Structures are given as C-alpha cells and as structure tokens.
C-alpha cells in the first residue's frame, strides 16, 4: 500500500504493508529512531509524535497508511538547524530526563500541549503528560521543564528602544 | 505485538465506506480512531480481514447544536469535544471528556467509535445511557436512529448490523433546571473504570425531581441504566435518603466481574458510592446543597 | 602563570548533564536503534502452561511463513551444549529454551528467526507445541512440602534451594523470651517488577570473517556478561565483544543473561548474519527478572521503655523456577543482613529458606541494593508495630534506638561495619521540614472529626558499594571496579570506567570527579562506558555500587595522574619535586608565590617536554578494591489521608532527607530521589506481579502492571545531610536505590497510622483501595459486634 507523508518538513513516498505501525515506519523506513517503543498496550507514550502540527498521537496505535496525506513531526523535527527548540532546552536545563527513553514522547506531547494551552498550570501540565510514562524522573523536573518553556513563550515582549 | 495481515481500504465518503462494507460483510471493520481496535489487533484478539479507514471523511467531523439536539459526527475526536467552546453547557459530557483513556489517546479516539466498541468498562456508553442518546446508523437500505438502550446489546456488541456504520451520536440538550455529572473510579489515568456512574437530574418548578437518569458502568456485560433508582427519585424532593436509596438500587443491580481492579463485592459497593457522589454533585450543580 | 580558565571546582556543582544533548534531540543510540546489514529478527515462543512436559514441537507451519529462516528449540541448543546456562548466582542453572518440561507460564520454548519482525511473530504464532500439563505449585509454603518436585534436573529432589542464616540464634531467642514486649508479624514484600521503559534486547553478530562475536546488548554489566558468554559458549573472551550502548533504564532488569540473548547468538552463529532480539513489554513482565517476593516473620523484643533488645527475622523466599537472583556468591540472600537497620540491637538473628515455584525466575532487581529493600521494609514496619504496641510515638522509639553518631564505625550483630552516619540529625531535618509537631496536632483534630489522616516515618540505613574482594564476587569475579584516564596534550581527556549507566548521569559525574582531582574543565573530559573492547574491566552498574567503587577508582586514577604531573611540574619549573604542591587546582612552589603551573600546561609538557628517563604521556588506570561497603541513610516522612468509603489513599506530603555522604552533583542526586520515590510509591500502592492458583500470570502488560503517571505521583520535597564516608576516596556513598529502599515503609507506616484508631495494625502491600476499604469495613464491623 502506498503512503505519502510529510515528516519533519520532508515529503516521503513509500510502499508498505497496511499492518506496519507508524512507529516502526518512522524508525525503520525513515531511520528516525528518536521515536521509541516501550510497551505493547498503548500505555507508555514513548512513541508519541505530533500529527498535523498540534495533535499528539501514539504512533504505535496508528498504521503508517493512516498517515497518508498528513504531516508528522517527530522529536528530530524540533530543532531548527543547530538551534534547540526551547522545550528541549527546558528539559536540559531542568534535568527533565535521565535515561532519555521517554523523552521524545514527553517532548512531543508537551509541544502539542503548549500549542493549545500556552500557559498551563502545574496541574494542567501533569494532566497533559498523563499519557506518557517515565520510570526515572518521577515527573517533577519534567513539569519544571515544560513550565520553563511556557514561561519563555509567555514572557513579556522586549520593548524596542 | 504486530497485527496479523489485513487488507486496507480508504473511504473518502460515507457511501464509499458503505460500499466497501457491503462488499466484505462481517470480514470488514470500520477504522476510526483505532484506539480500541488497533491494540486488540496487536494482540491478535481481533483479526479483521479488511479495515475500512473512515478518517479521511472530513464531513463526519462535527459538533452541532441543532435545535434541541446535540449532534456529534463519527469522526469527532474526544479531544475535539474536550476543547469545544460550548461544552460547559453539557456537564455530564464535560466530566467524561477529561476522564476517557488518557489525553493522548483522546486525540485520536472518537465517542462514536467508543460506543460502537461497547467495552463493558468504557466511559461513553455510561454517558450515552445517562444522556438518553441515540445513534444514527446508515446502511445500504438507508438510515435509522437507534436509542442507546437498544444500541448497546452486549459486551463488544451493538445493534450495528453487517454492512452498516454509525455516523452520528445525538444527545437531547439538557433543558433549564437540568444538570448531570459523571464519576469514574480508576487506579490511574488511562485505566478502564473500576466503577463508573453517570447521573442527570431535572428539577421541576416546585423543587421536586421531575426526571432522573442514572447509569453505571464496569458493572456487568454492558453499561446499565438503573431504572429502579430513576423511578425512586421521580417526584421526590432531593434528600439524603433519596440519594442513598438510589445508590442502594445501583448496588443491587450491579453485577460486575472480579478482576485486577477489584472483587465483585467491592465493585458493587463502589457503584453505589459513585452513584451517590454523582447525584450529590448533580444536585449541587442545580443549587441544591447540604445533603452530604 | 595561571591561565584565566573557567572556575575548575566541580564536585558539588549541579552541572547540567553532558549526555543530554543527544537524548533531547532523539539521537540516543539504544539497541533497537541499531541496524546491521543482512540482520534478521528473532521472536520467541512461550508456554501457556505454568508446569508441563513437552511432548513435541512441530515447526513445519512456522517454517512455511515467507521470510522465516529458522526455528530453534531446546533440542537444537542441547546439541550446542547451550540448553542450560548458569545463573548469575552460580548455585543454579536455567533453561534457555525448554527441554523436557516447562516450569513457568511464558517460559521460552522456541525461537523463530525471520527477515522481518512481523514474519518472526507470524512464525512464532504457528509453532505447534504439544504439552502434557502438570499440576503447578505457586505457593512457596506448598513448595516447601515437596509434594510435587519441580526440578528433576537437580541432584537433590527437593524444592528447597538453600538455607541461609547469620547472627546468634540462641542468644536472640533468649533475649526475645526475656523481653518486656515482643512483637511478631508476618510481613510480605510482594513480587513486583522493575519494568524500565526500554525492554531488554540484543543484536548478536557472529562475523565469520573476523571470527568475533559482537553482541549489542541492554546490559548493566557488559564485562561480566562477556566473561559469562565466553565460559558458557567456549568462545575465547578475546573473540567476544559486548557493546552496551544507551540503555533506557535498568533498575536491575538488565543484569541477568536472558534466553533471548543466547538464542540470538546461536542463531547468528548458525545463520552467519546478525540476529536481533527485542522483547515485547509482555515478555518483559512475564519472563525477565522479577523483584522481591519475601515472606518475612519479623520479631522485635524491647524493654518497657522502648529500648530494643532483640531482632529475629525468618524468611521464606519465592525464587520462581530457577534461582536466577544475581547475588554475590557468598550472599544468597543478598545484603539482607542489614535488617538491623539504623538501630543498635544487642542481639539479632536472621535466617532464610528459598524455594522453587512455577513462576518466572529472578529475585534481585528493582533498585533493591541486593535485598536491602526487603530488609529495610521489614525493620521499618517492625519498629512501627513495636511503637504501636508500646503506645510510643514512632519518632521517639527510633530516636531511643538509633546507632549514635559517636558509635561509628559500628559493627552490627549481623556482621556489617557501618562507616558513618548521624541518624538523629537526618531525622531532625526531616521532622523540621514536614513540621512534625504541627502535623500531629492537625492529626488529632482530624481524628476528632472521624477523618483518617496518617503520618509515616522511615529512617533507614542501607548498604551499597559491592564490594570488598574479601567478601564479594559474582561467579568468582571479584567486585572491584576500574577507571582509565588519558589526558591529551591540550588538556582535555578521555575517561573510561567499568560501570555502565542507564540514566544515572555518569557522563557528567565521572567528569566532575576527575575534573575536581585534576583542576581541569569537566566539559572537556569525555566519559565512555559499556564497550568491552575499550573500557577497563568492571562489574557494572546496579546496587548503587558505581559511585562507591568506580567513583573511588576514578579519584585514585586521577591522583596517580596528579602525582606524575607533579613530577613533570617540578621538571618544567626547574625545582625539586618535594617543593611542588597542589594548591587551588594548580601546582605551586613552596615559598615562591607566583611560581605556578596549571594541569593543562603540565599536560602539554607531558608530550612535549617529558621528564627524562620517564614515560611520556599522561594517563593512569586504577582497579579499586574497596575496603568496605558504604552506608547511606535517610529519613522519610509521608503524610496521607484515607477515604474510608473507597479505601483510596492520597499522599498529601512527602519529605525525603537523604545522607549519601559527599554529593557530586546535587541536581542529579535529587533526580534519583524523585525517581526512586515514585517507584516506592508505585510498589506501596499499585504494583504486584500475581499468579493465580492455576499459575496464570495476572499482570502481563502495562494495563495490569501499573506505572503511575504524573497525575498520581506526589510532589516530592527533598533535603540532605552529609556525613562523608571515612574510607571512600572522595567521601561519597552512593544513593540511587535509597529512595526505593526507604520509601515503601514510609507509605505503609503512614496508612497504618491513619487506620490505627480503627485497631488495624498491618496490611501488606500493595495498599490497593479495596484492601484498605475491606480492612476498614471489617474493623468497623468487629467493633460494632463487640459494642
């Protein structure tokens, strides 16, 4: 089955079995191994990517063929050139990761969250990432990391001289 | 971990979907959000020969207040509902909208799909029963509207026949003097319910209960209306005793299965606790407090 | 002249992690990210029965699936002498692929190798295995009766694996009998599972051209794995190359050698191409090393003033089908002897009997410090039960019995020599942070209203840093660890260690240790672990041993470099060696202020102006055999409220004060505490691996084995005290497991405190809603009946 999908700004055409999961399509067909697989029951969120810019979806619970005609952003698509996305910077600054396995999914979920709710409370952040599991951090610094990014977005604009 | 092979068809319109369904009959399944179907396929518990993907049908994505009816299309995502600006007018639905699965699953999952899946511990069947919803089902022979009581047949079984697909769920708009609430007990976010209760109450001008709707989930093969509780409450003035009696009726009706979430005894008791709490919340929303 | 470098002081700084850039960009390199040319995929076939004879295995249908290249069974491995492999414990062995019978549900029975993962799974579904079911034994107390013998491969036909004891039995029994107060409770630490987010996996690549077997492996101990693979396969160790790349969490799950690795290796040898095995989450939860499963009878004796007189703990240990608990050889029950905890027991005795059952093998995992989690839970629950019996405040009882700060080094009755600690200070800090006295007042008010509020304390001392060669070995290999440091001409360097981090931050903290010793910039010290071709031999990362052991090696290797550098400095400055001192991270000359040379300048000289008659260059290796273990401690306080209608517990506050000696990077330590507390919370309230009476595994994926989300997880308040380890080269102790060691008791003690007005004294974990609800309901009914 043919699938045509734009991933991180690049258009791809591939021919795949319908049963190929989007997570494996990204990892193996396109070599974008930043998206991870952590479970087999759609519970862990390590595989989360952004669909059409602002929808966080579990790529293990989608077939690649469903992405035909759509746009996917993976963690590799967050940085612009060599410049980190402020979310990535936030995770680094706030020690929001340890083993790094849940991190891409956390980044993409919070990326989508902040598009809909640019100034979330800590409670709203915790609710938004409750589809993403982490075994290392206890979530506390992840919340701080997302909070840092939100503060960056919401910072009052510098007045020009 | 990996589904068995299947054939895949994209439908760009309802007619196209129906055409494919009639071609393959019982071998074909509708793929909407896939958040229930795909996990089942990955465990090979479901092995449809053909999947009909209706996600491309943009016409099925809508939330419309049409006179006295709220109409939600089959491709409306749970997250669309969650973000709908007028959701506050539907407290029963609003409560459930943030409790279904987890926030990421809700970006793809659909309320209509969930109703068609009819998991015994699912949230939307309880809400639909409480809200007296109905489903619009279309087939080669045309369209029919099925009241939710008739739509939910058994665990994972609904009144949708081979060759048909559900296109819309309809809720009557709650009138003035009407409010609802949905309570779910779950071990963690993303779990199926240990117990769930939906309640809706309409008060008459004299403050008595003109109408009540109560449903429980995770308490039997499918979500159930607690008709006895509804009858008990009609005509009554809201009171601690009336609420307690309704909860008792829920406990008596509940027939849950024991599993990791709890024994049958515990789940029965929690059905009663949640009905009580949901009723009290509903009444508080109607300005009737002091009953705790 | 000194150069104007950035500040060089590194220990104690919350440096941002050097390993993060690749992870936040999604450019980590985990085993499943690696693709080798012509690579095939392995999927395993599992037994649906917990106990059964294998009559026949028919691979015909599987082999007919397009893309399937081979099907391996136990019989094939038997021919290669690999049907059984020794377990890490050394006392037992385990089947790789079942031969003759299966001993637990999901046991591996065959392996299917195919061109794609999907084809391998399609093939695995079609392997037909003919079983003759046998009655399973799932209760270790039943296993003890030896009515059904599970292991017919063993010489002694019994389910009893071993007996272990330490301490003075008779004196302890006498002291208990003579005590004013004597509590006894059966305390069960339930079977659970570490469940890191990255499942286990490996790629075995037997390269016929080089004759070398390379295995990319989720391994917390790559050198030990290399040696074991060599011993088991007969392949010489130089021909084996283990690479442990980035690992997505270990927690002890990635210490054992699992059948999947061995089958992949055999398949690679047979098929002459790389073979990748990545387990599913279900396989992870049902077949890989479980944790805990100790039934402990805890007895504490005390005089009427609350001074403890004796401790006796008798344990029945459920090991599953094989004794695969990866304990040091002389410690079949790990470091359970720490069960005297923070208290000065004049008499103590503990014994343990281990049994086989029809369950998955394992036992030592999930941040347990080698069974310290079980011991700590037992003593902290025991002390609370004693406080209850005495009618004494839980804090007061502990204070009365703490090992005093002037009693160190403290030799416990069970043989450990605790290095240092100030338990009173750590506890006081926690009490102040939580506002203990105010909380007790608040609790009194809550109780007057009939509300269930609880405060739970856990003041644990644990033991880590395995370990001194006198006592510790894994399969004979002593538990030293190592560091190899090479400084480049321009003052940066490469640091290699025998440990293997899985998120603990070694790429940063090891650089900090070396930077501190050498006055270099930690940003310019690259840290490598995990490649057995290049890293010095070490025993890996688990049981919080890395900082105590490898950390020591890093400091001492650095000091070797500094000593050589001092000689080079003397040569460059043209002064006598004895006149050169290390001061303020540079070399200075006695009595000649202003005459200094930096380490960076010395590094350059090592290559351009070496001391005549000596080796040029600037590097050192150190293999560190620690003189003792280290003993971190902590004081944790949990505040909970329980909903009697539903049994739900809400954690209102949690304060954790940890003392892990000198802290290398406070930010990283705090992160470890957050993570470990979250695991302890999960264990206390929602995690259990349960088998029903038929031997069926009840928690096979993340919908039934529960990992808390950010919504359930409490907010953690952390603090620290510092009592350096007197024997450790930088005074550090290790901390990664402390939060999992100390927190379950804090949670349970808190819930029991909340329920104590109802007369409920003990409930086993997990404290699910139903369990608590039922206890409350039964207690109320009992009260009503006697009213």
């Amino acid at each position: 089955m043919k699938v045509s999908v734009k991933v991180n700004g690049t258009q791809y055409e591939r021919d795949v079995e319908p049963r190929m999961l989007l997570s494996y399509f990204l990892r193996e067909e396109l070599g974008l191994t930043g998206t991870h697989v952590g479970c087999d029951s759609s519970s862990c969120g390590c595989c989360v990517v952004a669909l059409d810019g602002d929808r966080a979806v579990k790529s293990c619970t989608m077939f690649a063929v469903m992405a035909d005609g759509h746009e996917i952003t993976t963690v590799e698509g967050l940085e612009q050139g060599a410049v980190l996305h402020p979310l990535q910077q936030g995770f680094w600054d706030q020690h929001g990761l340890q083993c790094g396995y849940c991190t891409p999914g956390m980044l993409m979920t919070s990326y989508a969250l902040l598009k809909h709710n640019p100034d979330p409370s800590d409670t709203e952040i915790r609710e938004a990432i409750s589809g993403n599991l982490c075994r290392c951090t206890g979530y506390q610094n992840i919340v701080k990391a997302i909070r840092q990014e939100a503060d960056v977005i919401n910072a009052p604009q510098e007045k020009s001289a | 971990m990996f589904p068995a092979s299947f054939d895949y068809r994209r439908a760009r319109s309802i007619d196209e979907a129906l055409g494919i369904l009639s071609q393959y009959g019982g071998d074909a399944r509708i793929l909407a959000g896939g958040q229930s179907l795909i996990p089942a396929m990955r465990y090979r518990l479901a092995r449809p020969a053909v999947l009909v993907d209706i996600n491309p049908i943009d016409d099925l994505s809508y939330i419309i207040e049409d006179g006295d009816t709220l109409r939600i299309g089959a491709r409306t995502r749970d997250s669309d509902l969650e973000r709908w600006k007028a959701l506050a007018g539907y407290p029963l639905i609003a409560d459930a909208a943030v409790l279904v699965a987890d926030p990421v699953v809700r970006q793809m999952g659909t309320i209509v799909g969930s109703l068609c899946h009819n998991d015994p511990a699912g949230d939307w069947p309880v809400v639909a029963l409480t809200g007296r919803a109905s489903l619009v089902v279309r087939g080669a022979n045309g369209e029919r509207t099925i009241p939710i009581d008739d739509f939910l047949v058994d665990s994972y079984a609904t009144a949708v026949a081979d060759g048909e697909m559900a296109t819309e769920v309809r809720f009557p708009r709650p009138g003035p003097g009407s409010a609802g609430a949905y309570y779910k007990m779950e071990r963690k976010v993303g779990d199926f319910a240990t117990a769930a209760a939906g309640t809706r109450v309409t008060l008459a001008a004299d403050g008595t209960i003109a109408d009540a709707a109560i449903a429980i989930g995770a308490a039997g093969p499918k979500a159930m209306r607690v008709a006895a509780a509804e009858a008990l409450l009609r005509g009554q003035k809201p009171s601690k005793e009336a609420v307690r009696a309704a909860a008792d009726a829920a406990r008596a009706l509940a027939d849950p299965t024991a599993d990791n979430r709890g024994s049958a005894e515990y789940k029965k008791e929690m059905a009663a606790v949640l009905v009580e709490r949901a009723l009290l919340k509903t009444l508080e929303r109607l300005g009737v407090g002091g009953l705790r | 002249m000194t150069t104007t470098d950035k500040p060089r002081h590194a220990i104690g700084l919350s440096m941002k992690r050097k390993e993060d850039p690749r992870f936040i960009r999604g450019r980590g390199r985990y085993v499943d990210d690696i693709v080798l040319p012509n690579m095939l995929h392995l999927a395993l076939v599992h037994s649906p029965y917990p106990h059964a004879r294998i009559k026949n295995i028919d691979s015909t249908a599987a082999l007919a699936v397009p893309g399937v290249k081979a099907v391996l069974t136990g019989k094939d491995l038997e021919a290669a002498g690999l049907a059984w492999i020794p377990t890490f414990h050394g006392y037992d062995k385990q089947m790789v692929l079942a031969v003759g019978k299966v001993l637990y549900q999901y046991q591996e029975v065959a392996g299917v190798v195919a061109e794609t993962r999907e084809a391998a799974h399609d093939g695995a579904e079609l392997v037909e295995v003919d079983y003759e079911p046998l009655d399973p034994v799932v209760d270790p107390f039943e296993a003890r009766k030896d009515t059904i013998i599970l292991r017919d491969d063993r010489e002694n036909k019994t389910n009893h694996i071993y007996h272990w004891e330490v301490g003075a039995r008779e004196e302890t029994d006498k002291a208990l009998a003579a005590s004013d107060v004597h509590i006894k409770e059966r305390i069960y630490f339930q079977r659970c599972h570490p469940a890191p987010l990255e499942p286990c996996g490996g790629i075995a690549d037997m390269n016929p051209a080089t004759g070398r077997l390379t295995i990319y492996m989720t391994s917390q101990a790559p050198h030990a794995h290399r040696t074991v693979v060599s011993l088991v396969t007969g392949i010489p160790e130089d021909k084996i190359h283990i690479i442990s790349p980035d690992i997505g969490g270990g927690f002890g799950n990635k210490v054992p050698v699992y059948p999947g690795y061995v089958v992949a290796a055999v398949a690679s040898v047979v098929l002459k191409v790389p073979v990748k095995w990545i387990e599913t989450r279900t396989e992870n939860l049902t077949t890989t090393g479980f944790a805990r499963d100790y039934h402990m009878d805890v007895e504490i004796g005390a005089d009427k003033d609350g001074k403890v007189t004796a401790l006796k703990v008798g344990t029945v240990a459920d090991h599953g089908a094989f004794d695969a608990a990866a304990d040091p050889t002389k410690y079949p029950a790990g470091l359970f002897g720490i069960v005297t905890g923070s208290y000065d027991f004049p008499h103590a005795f503990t014994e343990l009997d281990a049994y086989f059952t029809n369950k998955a093998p394992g036992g030592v995992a999930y941040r347990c410090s080698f069974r310290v989690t079980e011991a700590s839970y037992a003593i902290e629950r025991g002390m609370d039960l004693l406080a209850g019996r005495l009618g004494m405040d839980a804090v007061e009882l502990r204070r009365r019995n703490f090992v005093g700060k002037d009693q160190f080094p403290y030799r416990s009755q069970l043989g450990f020599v605790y290095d240092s600690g100030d338990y009173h200070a750590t506890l006081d800090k926690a009490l102040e942070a939580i506002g203990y006295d105010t909380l007790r007042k608040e609790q009194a008010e809550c109780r007057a209203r009939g509300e269930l509020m609880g405060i739970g304390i856990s003041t644990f001392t644990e033991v880590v840093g395995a370990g001194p060669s006198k006592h510790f070995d894994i399969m004979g290999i002593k538990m030293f660890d190592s560091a190899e440091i090479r400084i480049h001409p321009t003052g940066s360097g490469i640091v290699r260690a025998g440990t293997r981090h899985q998120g603990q931050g070694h790429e940063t903290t090891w650089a900090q240790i070396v930077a501190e010793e050498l006055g270099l910039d930690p940003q310019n010290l690259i840290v490598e672990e995990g490649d057995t071709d290049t890293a010095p031999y070490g025993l890996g990362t688990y049981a919080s041993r890395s900082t105590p052991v490898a950390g020591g090696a890093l400091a001492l290797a650095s000091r070797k470099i500094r000593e050589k550098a001092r000689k080079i400095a003397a040569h460059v400055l043209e002064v006598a060696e004895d006149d050169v001192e290390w001061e303020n991270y540079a070399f200075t000359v006695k009595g000649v202020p202003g005459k200094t040379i930096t380490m960076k300048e010395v590094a350059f000289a090592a290559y351009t102006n070496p001391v005549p008659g000596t080796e040029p260059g600037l590097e050192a290796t150190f293999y560190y055999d620690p003189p003792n273990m280290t003993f971190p401690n902590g004081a944790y306080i949990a505040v909970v409220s329980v909903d009697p209608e539903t049994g739900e517990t809400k954690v209102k506050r949690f304060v954790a004060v940890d003392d892990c000696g000198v802290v290398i990077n406070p930010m990283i330590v705090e992160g470890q505490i957050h993570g470990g507390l979250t695991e302890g919370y999960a264990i206390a309230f929602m995690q259990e691996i349960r088998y029903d009476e038929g031997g069926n595994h009840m928690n096979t994926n993340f919908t039934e084995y529960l990992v808390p989300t950010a919504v359930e997880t409490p907010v953690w308040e952390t603090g620290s005290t510092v009592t350096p380890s007197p024997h450790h080269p930088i005074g550090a102790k290790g901390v990664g497991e402390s939060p999992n060691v100390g927190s379950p008791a804090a949670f349970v003690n808190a819930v029991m405190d909340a329920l104590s007005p109802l007369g409920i004294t003990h409930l086993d974990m997990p404290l699910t809603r139903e369990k608590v609800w039922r206890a409350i309901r039964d207690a109320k009914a009992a009260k009503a009946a006697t009213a």
Side-chain angles (χ1 to χ4, degrees), chain C residues 373-660:
Chain C
T373 39
E374 290 86 321
S376 190
Y377 180 65
I379 184 63
E380 288 305 301
R381 277 299 298 135
M383 289 301 273
D384 250 40
L385 287 163
L386 179 63
R389 178 74 64 82
L390 287 164
M392 189 182 270
D393 176 68
V395 167
E396 188 46 44
L397 178 68
R398 285 169 165 82
R399 277 195 176 125
R400 212 164 275 200
N401 290 288
F402 274 156
V403 172
K405 69 173 191 250
D406 37 1
Q407 285 182 269
F408 291 90
Y410 169 77
R411 177 174 288 279
S412 81
Q413 289 300 314
L414 297 180
F416 283 112
V417 180
Y418 296 23
D419 58 0
S420 66
D422 186 348
Y423 303 153
H424 288 89
T426 312
L427 175 57
D428 285 344
K429 192 156 186 182
L431 292 169
E432 205 198 302
I434 202 106
Y436 185 71
D437 296 331
T438 311
L439 274 180
R440 283 292 181 202
K441 287 203 187 84
E442 197 186 312
Q443 182 180 47
E445 289 161 15
C446 279
R447 282 186 171 154
R449 291 195 297 268
E451 287 165 21
L452 302 173
M453 171 186 166
I455 305 165
I457 322 276
S458 170
T459 49
F460 65 94
T461 295
E462 69 143 340
V463 52
V464 297
S469 57
K470 199 166 30 169
H471 303 297
F472 292 91
D473 68 88
I474 301 262
M475 296 183 80
I477 305 170
K478 298 298 183 183
M479 295 185 75
F480 54 84
D481 227 284
S482 56
E484 181 191 290
I485 305 170
R486 178 173 309 135
I487 306 301
H488 307 319
T490 48
S492 52
I494 183 159
V495 175
R496 294 185 171 123
T499 43
R500 173 62 240 178
H501 63 101
Q502 323 102 39
Q504 295 92 332
H506 295 176
E507 289 177 32
T508 309
T509 52
W510 289 176
Q512 287 179 262
I513 293 178
V514 176
E516 181 72 24
E517 296 287 336
L518 299 184
L520 293 171
D521 186 345
Q523 293 298 340
N524 294 124
L525 292 167
I526 206 150
V527 174
E528 282 186 1
E529 291 180 337
D531 184 327
T532 59
D533 270 3
T534 50
Y537 201 105
L539 272 288
T541 294
Y542 44 82
S544 303
R545 63 183 300 275
S546 300
T547 294
V549 194
L554 287 157
L556 295 172
S558 302
R559 288 171 199 174
K560 266 184 169 174
I561 288 179
R562 203 164 73 216
E563 191 40 41
K564 177 170 182 181
R566 202 170 63 81
K567 295 178 165 57
I568 298 171
H571 167 69
V572 170
L573 294 174
E574 295 173 330
V575 299
E577 269 179 42
D578 288 342
D579 289 337
V580 175
E581 295 181 319
W582 177 253
E583 204 185 301
N584 254 341
Y585 306 99
F587 291 108
T588 56
V589 180
K590 264 190 230 170
V592 189
K595 197 170 180 114
T596 68
I597 184 170
T598 64
M599 181 63 74
K600 202 165 170 188
E601 290 163 330
V602 168
F604 198 68
Y607 293 84
T608 59
N609 183 11
V611 179
T614 71
E615 289 178 3
L618 192 59
E619 70 180 64
T621 303
F622 202 100
Y623 280 68
Y624 181 59
D625 179 5
N628 190 7
M629 306 290 278
T630 62
F631 296 79
N633 72 282
Y636 293 170
I637 307 181
V639 182
V640 303
S641 90
V642 177
D643 180 343
E645 269 197 330
T646 61
E648 182 181 359
T649 303
K650 277 206 157 59
V651 175
K652 312 296 278 192
R653 285 187 69 192
F654 195 103
V655 160
V657 176
D658 280 275
D659 191 325
C660 58

Side-chain angles (χ1 to χ4, degrees), chain A residues 29-30 38 44 47 50 55 64 75 80 83-84 91 103 114 118 124 126 133 135 142-143 147 153:
Chain A
E29 283 295 315
L30 305 187
C44 77
C47 66
R55 214 149 38 107
V75 63
Q80 296 304 313
V83 179
L84 290 177
F91 271 70
T103 308
L114 290 168
E124 286 170 333
R126 283 177 179 265
L133 300 178
R135 296 293 275 147
I142 292 177
V143 174
R147 186 66 247 157
I153 295 177

Side-chain angles (χ1 to χ4, degrees), chain B residues 1-2 43-44 47 185-189 260-263 265-266 269-270 273 277, chain C residues 117 121-122 125 643 645-646 690 698-699 701 703-704 707 712 769-770 773-774 777:
Chain B
M1 182 69 175
F2 300 102
Y43 283 126
R44 303 198 177 190
R47 304 173 78 118
M185 175 177 289
E186 53 181 0
R187 296 173 298 174
K188 53 167 271 194
V189 170
N260 282 338
R261 292 178 198 89
S263 63
E265 186 192 6
Y266 179 72
E269 190 54 41
M270 292 308 109
V273 170
R277 292 182 179 188
Chain C
R117 293 173 205 263
H121 278 82
D122 289 344
E125 207 185 18
D643 180 343
E645 269 197 330
T646 61
R690 221 169 35 90
M698 304 301 289
N699 311 89
N701 61 36
T703 67
E704 296 304 346
V707 173
E712 297 84 44
R769 287 168 195 171
E770 176 166 357
W773 168 82
R774 197 172 283 284
R777 196 193 58 165

Side-chain angles (χ1 to χ4, degrees), chain C residues 28-142:
Chain C
R29 196 160 164 264
Y30 303 90
V31 169
D32 200 13
D33 298 343
I34 298 167
V35 176
L36 300 178
N38 305 311
M39 189 174 76
L40 299 175
H41 295 267
L42 168 67
L44 298 175
V45 178
H46 299 274
S47 165
Y49 295 103
H51 193 201
R53 292 208 192 286
I54 300 175
K55 309 299 289 286
N56 190 46
I57 302 181
D58 186 347
S59 316
T60 327
L63 285 164
V65 171
V68 169
K69 296 295 178 198
V71 178
L72 291 159
T73 67
K75 287 222 166 79
D76 300 316
L77 294 184
E78 233 175 0
L82 281 172
W84 291 81
I85 51 171
T87 62
F88 255 123
H89 195 199
Y91 286 138
D92 198 9
K93 53 182 184 164
Q94 72 177 89
M95 286 188 244
V96 175
L97 292 177
V99 187
K101 62 192 278 199
V102 289
L103 286 162
Y104 57 97
Q105 193 185 52
Y106 287 94
Q107 183 176 353
E108 302 88 345
V109 166
V112 176
V113 185
E115 283 167 354
T116 66
R117 293 173 205 263
E118 289 87 349
H121 278 82
D122 289 344
E125 207 185 18
L126 293 173
V127 172
E128 284 171 36
V129 187
D130 211 350
Y131 294 99
E132 180 197 304
L134 302 167
D135 290 332
V137 179
V138 286
D139 179 344
F141 296 95
E142 274 307 303

